[in-house]
Structures are given as structure tokens and as C-alpha cells.
Amino acid sequence: MSTVQLESLWQFIQSLGLSRKNRQWLADKLVEPTSGELENAKAETLAAIKDAKEKRNVTVCATFEDYLKAVAE
């Protein structure tokens, strides 16, 4: 993207009048995470799932169909 295109994009984004939450969401989408950040996020997610399963006896499945099968048993 050229400088002019980036400037036009920036002006457009500023004209949207986004809320703080929406600005944060957009910022998160515009910044690519590093591979280390992705690994950390994956580890945190897996730890949270394990914790939830232990505390609440939660069934975690890869697909909705797998979930339906698991709860039907």
C-alpha cells in the first residue's frame, strides 16, 4: 500500500467514530500476532478448557455433532 492509500485509510478509520471497544477490536485485527503470542494464547486456552472441565464437568468436543453424541450417551 502506498503512503497516500494508507493516509486515506487512516482518515476513513478516524471518520467512523468508533467506540473504545471497537477501536481496540480493530487494533487487534490490524496487528499480526507473533508466533510466540499465538503459542501463549493456545496454551492459555487449553489450560482454561482443562480447568473448566475439572471444575464443571464440561464436555469439550471438536464439533457440534460430537457434542450431541457425547451428551446423548
Side-chain angles (χ1 to χ4, degrees):
M1 243 183 186
S2 71
T3 303
V4 173
Q5 290 172 320
L6 288 173
E7 183 64 29
S8 294
L9 177 60
W10 181 244
Q11 289 174 358
F12 172 73
I13 291 170
Q14 289 179 318
S15 73
L16 294 175
L18 299 173
S19 68
R20 181 176 172 265
K21 182 179 176 182
N22 288 340
R23 283 194 310 269
Q24 183 62 49
W25 177 88
L26 181 58
D28 291 342
K29 297 298 178 189
L30 293 174
V31 176
E32 293 183 19
T34 64
S35 60
E37 291 172 331
L38 290 175
E39 288 301 318
N40 288 342
K42 182 179 178 181
E44 288 175 7
T45 300
L46 292 174
I49 289 171
K50 182 180 176 184
D51 185 52
K53 286 172 68 174
E54 291 172 356
K55 288 182 179 177
R56 298 184 188 96
N57 193 22
V58 174
T59 302
V60 178
C61 300
T63 66
F64 185 65
E65 289 177 2
D66 291 345
Y67 173 75
L68 292 176
K69 290 176 188 174
V71 296
E73 296 174 349

